[in-house]
Structures are given as C-alpha cells and as structure tokens.
Amino acid sequence: MMKIDINKSVLELVEGDITRQDTDAIVNAANTSLLGGGGVDGAIHSAGGPKILEECRKLGGCPTGEARITTGGNLKARYVIHTVGPVYHDGKQHEAELLANAYKNSLILASHHKLRSVAFPSLSTGAYGYPMNEAAIIALKTVVDYVKIHPEIHLVRFVLFGSKAYQTYEKALQELIK
Ligand code: AR6
C-alpha cells in the first residue's frame, strides 16, 4: 500500500479487487456500448447485479474518453462511474489523450455528484492492450493534477490487480513525486 497527500486529498495505491471497494464510487473499464464485457466490466456487473445493466441500457452508450454514472446495485460503492479508455494501437492514435480524458471525465462526474472518494482500476491495460507503465504515468499524472485543484475529492484509490500491476504503479508514482 502506498499513500500520499496532495494538498487536501489523499492518493492511495492498493493491490486488490475493484468490486470490493467501499469508496463512494468505483470506476468501470467499460466499452462504448456500456452493455458489459469481460475483465473489470464483467466483475462489476456480476458482483453488482442486474440493476446496473438495466441503468446502463438507458444511457445509450458512451464515447471513448467520456464517462457516465449509474448506481452501485449490490456493491458497497453507492455509484459506478463507467468510462471508456482507448484501445491501444501504436500510440499514435491519440491514445494518451483519450486515456487522460477517461480519468479526468470520471473525476468531473464524481465532483458533480458530490462524491468524496473514488476507486479506479488501471483503465485500458487489459483487453485494450495499453502498455501498463505508460498507462500508469498518464493515470497518476491526470489524477494528481485534478485533485490539486479539486479538494472536494478527498480520496482517490487505484486498485491494482496483482503484484506486477501494483509495482508498476508504485514506481510510476515515486517518479512523479520526486
Ligand atoms: N479489480 C481490479 N482490476 C482488475 C480486475 C478487478 N476485479 N479484473 C481485472 N483487472 P480490462 P480494459 C485489471 O480488460 O483494458 C471489457 O471486456 C486488469 O488486470 O478490465 O480497459 C470491457 O467491456 C487490467 O490491468 O479493461 C471492454 O470491452 C485492468 O484491470 C474492455 O474489456 C483493465 O483490464 C476494456 O478493456
């Protein structure tokens, strides 16, 4: 576990399962249909129950880099913020900008809904193939920049799946703050 203060907020890195977090919202690594899938998306819908999918159906999809919100169904988290990271091709298809947008738009939505704590998975680094190290730098920088000027977000937690992912984020955060 790594924990740092950024102005009035806290940024945490933990190894674990996004579906088990007790933050106000957890973020889903969704696709543009918002109708479910594998990985984080599959785990959230299976742990949260059918109510989340029912709400997602009414949203009519979500473009890459944007975010939408539903309630949390049976999850501990009261809300799920569904965002769509980019599919990684060669790094020259605006992937970095789209990935940063996915984090930023998720946080903007959290602020608008007066949510104080948000847990993120490592967006785009599974089925979407984004190299973990590059993704970690973008994810952390985007979140740090946001909370610096948005103290209404008290806690952002990155929930990394497995020790390799955790270590990659830890190294990236140590670089970013030094
Ligand atoms: N908790 C935290 N992290 C997890 C969990 C979990 N329970 N399960 C996997 N990860 P992915 P993407 C990690 O594929 O790359 C879906 O089908 C995983 O190791 O979930 O954004 C959607 O419907 C990886 O590092 O999301 C989309 O079609 C990271 O979470 C597509 O996959 C993200 O992996 C989105 O792909």
Side-chain angles (χ1 to χ4, degrees), residues 29-145:
N31 60 61
T32 56
S33 78
L34 296 185
L35 297 178
V40 166
D41 200 2
I44 286 176
H45 283 289
S46 90
K51 184 147 178 292
I52 299 174
L53 189 56
E54 217 172 277
E55 290 179 51
C56 280
R57 278 204 195 92
K58 295 174 187 157
L59 295 173
C62 177
T64 304
E66 294 189 20
R68 302 288 186 267
I69 192 166
T70 66
T71 61
N74 304 329
L75 297 167
K76 279 188 209 156
R78 285 150 53 220
Y79 293 93
V80 176
I81 294 171
H82 305 263
T83 191
V84 184
V87 176
Y88 189 87
H89 296 287
D90 56 1
K92 295 172 184 164
Q93 315 299 320
H94 304 285
E95 292 96 333
E97 185 187 343
L98 290 167
L99 185 62
N101 289 347
Y103 283 99
K104 189 171 179 193
N105 285 318
S106 297
L107 291 167
I108 290 171
L109 206 45
S111 290
H112 286 169
H113 286 261
K114 298 192 168 8
L115 309 184
R116 300 292 178 232
S117 56
V118 182
F120 281 99
S122 176
L123 300 172
S124 282
T125 57
Y128 283 179
Y130 213 115
M132 181 81 73
N133 179 49
E134 286 175 44
I137 293 165
I138 294 162
L140 292 164
K141 190 177 184 325
T142 305
V143 168
V144 167
D145 287 350

Side-chain angles (χ1 to χ4, degrees), residues 2-6 11 13 137 140-141 144 148 169-178:
M2 181 173 175
K3 189 171 177 168
I4 65 163
D5 293 321
I6 300 158
L11 174 61
L13 308 182
I137 293 165
L140 292 164
K141 190 177 184 325
V144 167
K148 267 183 190 163
Y169 271 71
E170 187 181 61
K171 192 161 166 268
L173 184 55
Q174 281 162 352
E175 278 297 315
L176 185 64
I177 63 177
K178 93 173 180 202

